[in-house]
């Protein structure tokens, strides 16, 4: 395995770490990157790499939000103290993940075969970008009814989970973009929508990675395994910084800049693969 392939793994890890959490579609960026910077690996490994590299991003969420998601982080008289508010939060996360989990298991191979292409990705980049611009002008965003995680109801969680299905079926939608829009339209403020989106990623992305690993049987070369490890480690470090940035950003700014960015990127992807490829 050449040194350049390990450098490419670092670059892919950086792109994954940034675009997985910002609502700009990691799929769209990775499609463009793979065309300009293809890796010399087997096709089976490449399909696994694009999904399993997300494990680093998931670990970053767990580390960053540990105090909010771990139900046994407080001790009373040297005995584990169960935080029922956190347990309740995880129940809502599970409810929100069920729609995407069911659709993902049933349609994973079909989506890869029929919808995972540059045209669909470009269209969804543009569509969701426009959606961000429209949603940010709605009264639901100006006057949110949910401003804290504990105020989320199971109905809110399910509605956000249904929006997550869109991302599971249509590549380029952006899982974080779809769920944030779902939250905003349902009267959840930006900060809470972003936090809940991060939490939803833990079971969804971990499940998707596990599914790919099981299907692949990990029949890869030693060099490919090193590439995978590099990608995961780099995406973890970059994701930590990106999550911190986004949580600070949404406290004072809206998502319009991401909407505009998505539209521009979608047009570039569409033009490139239509006229230049």
């Amino acid at each position: 395995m050449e040194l350049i392939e390990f450098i490419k793994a670092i670059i892919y890890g950086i792109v994954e770490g940034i675009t997985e959490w910002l609502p700009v579609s990691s799929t769209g960026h990775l499609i463009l990157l793979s065309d300009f910077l293809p890796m010399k690996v087997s096709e089976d490994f490449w399909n696994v790499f694009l999904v399993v590299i997300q494990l680093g991003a998931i670990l970053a969420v767990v580390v960053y939000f540990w105090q909010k998601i771990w139900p046994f982080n407080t001790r009373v008289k040297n005995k584990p103290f169960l935080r029922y508010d956190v347990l309740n939060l995880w129940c809502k996360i599970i409810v929100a993940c069920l729609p995407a989990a069911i659709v993902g298991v049933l349609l994973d191979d079909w989506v890869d075969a029929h919808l995972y292409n540059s045209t669909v990705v470009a269209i969804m980049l543009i569509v969701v970008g426009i959606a961000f611009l429209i949603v940010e002008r709605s009264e639901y965003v100006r006057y949110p009814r949910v401003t804290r995680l504990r105020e989320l109801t199971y109905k809110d969680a399910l509605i956000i989970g249904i929006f997550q299905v869109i991302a599971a079926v249509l590549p380029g939608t952006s899982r974080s973009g779809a769920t944030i829009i779902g939250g905003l339209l349902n009267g959840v403020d930006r900060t809470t929508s972003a936090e809940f989106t991060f939490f939803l990623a833990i079971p969804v992305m971990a499940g998707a990675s596990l599914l790919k690993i099981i299907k692949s049987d990990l029949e890869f070369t030693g060099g490919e395994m090193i590439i995978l490890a590099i990608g995961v480690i780099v995406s973890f470090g970059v994701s930590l910084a990106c999550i911190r940035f986004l949580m600070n950003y949404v406290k004072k700014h809206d998502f319009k800049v991401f909407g505009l960015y998505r539209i521009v990127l979608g047009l570039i992807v569409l033009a490139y693969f239509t006229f230049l490829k």
Side-chain angles (χ1 to χ4, degrees):
M1 188 69 66
E2 299 177 6
L3 176 61
I4 186 64
E5 299 306 312
F6 299 130
I7 296 175
K8 290 178 183 177
I10 294 175
I11 295 174
Y12 275 94
I14 293 172
V15 173
E16 165 63 24
I18 295 174
T19 60
E20 187 61 56
W21 303 119
L22 300 183
V24 294
S25 175
S26 59
T27 302
H29 288 79
L30 290 176
I31 280 182
L32 275 179
L33 184 60
S34 65
D35 200 70
F36 287 104
L37 198 67
M39 297 183 72
K40 296 180 181 179
V41 294
S42 66
E43 183 177 352
D44 289 340
F45 172 78
W46 175 244
N47 292 331
V48 172
F49 177 81
L50 288 179
V51 176
V52 178
I53 193 176
Q54 298 173 345
L55 287 175
I58 299 170
L59 183 58
V61 173
V62 173
V63 171
Y64 188 87
F65 291 104
W66 181 255
Q67 294 298 323
K68 289 190 175 184
I69 64 175
W70 182 244
F72 300 104
N73 64 343
T74 303
R75 289 182 174 274
V76 177
K77 295 181 180 180
N78 296 321
K79 294 182 179 180
F81 178 75
L82 179 62
R83 294 174 56 191
Y84 289 99
D85 59 328
V86 178
L87 186 62
N88 187 44
L89 172 62
W90 273 106
C91 289
K92 293 173 183 176
I93 291 172
I94 292 172
V95 168
C97 289
L98 285 177
I102 294 172
V103 172
V105 171
L106 295 177
L107 300 180
D108 180 56
D109 292 334
W110 186 87
V111 169
D112 285 348
H114 297 88
L115 298 179
Y116 196 93
N117 57 71
S118 58
T119 301
V120 173
V121 169
I123 291 174
M124 293 313 300
L125 279 168
I126 296 170
V127 169
V128 176
I130 294 173
F132 264 119
L133 298 182
I134 295 174
V135 170
E136 280 290 356
R137 297 172 62 89
S138 70
E139 62 180 17
Y140 302 106
V141 175
R142 292 197 297 271
Y143 309 104
R145 61 178 179 79
V146 177
T147 58
R148 298 180 182 180
L149 280 171
R150 64 171 178 265
E151 295 174 358
L152 275 174
T153 66
Y154 282 92
K155 180 182 178 181
D156 295 330
L158 182 59
I159 291 174
I160 294 174
I162 291 173
F163 272 84
Q164 189 170 228
V165 172
I166 301 174
V169 174
L170 297 171
T173 299
S174 169
R175 191 199 56 78
S176 61
T179 52
I180 287 174
I181 287 177
L184 295 177
L185 285 176
N186 199 40
V188 183
D189 73 349
R190 297 186 185 94
T191 300
T192 306
S193 293
E195 281 192 353
F196 195 64
T197 290
F198 290 140
F199 300 155
L200 290 186
I202 298 174
V204 170
M205 292 167 59
S209 298
L210 180 61
L211 186 62
K212 285 292 184 182
I213 290 174
I214 292 174
K215 288 183 177 181
S216 71
D217 294 325
L218 291 179
E219 296 180 354
F220 306 127
T221 66
E224 289 175 334
M225 294 300 290
I226 294 175
I227 285 176
L228 185 58
I230 291 174
V232 170
I233 293 171
V234 173
S235 70
F236 167 74
V238 175
S239 289
L240 271 179
C242 188
I243 292 170
R244 184 177 294 107
F245 161 77
L246 185 60
M247 293 312 301
N248 290 327
Y249 178 88
V250 297
K251 293 176 181 178
K252 300 179 180 179
H253 305 85
D254 57 33
F255 288 104
K256 290 179 183 177
V257 64
F258 297 113
L260 292 172
Y261 177 83
R262 290 180 61 98
I263 294 171
V264 172
L265 179 63
L267 292 173
I268 292 174
V269 172
L270 198 59
Y272 176 76
F273 285 98
T274 301
F275 302 109
L276 301 178
K277 182 64 175 173

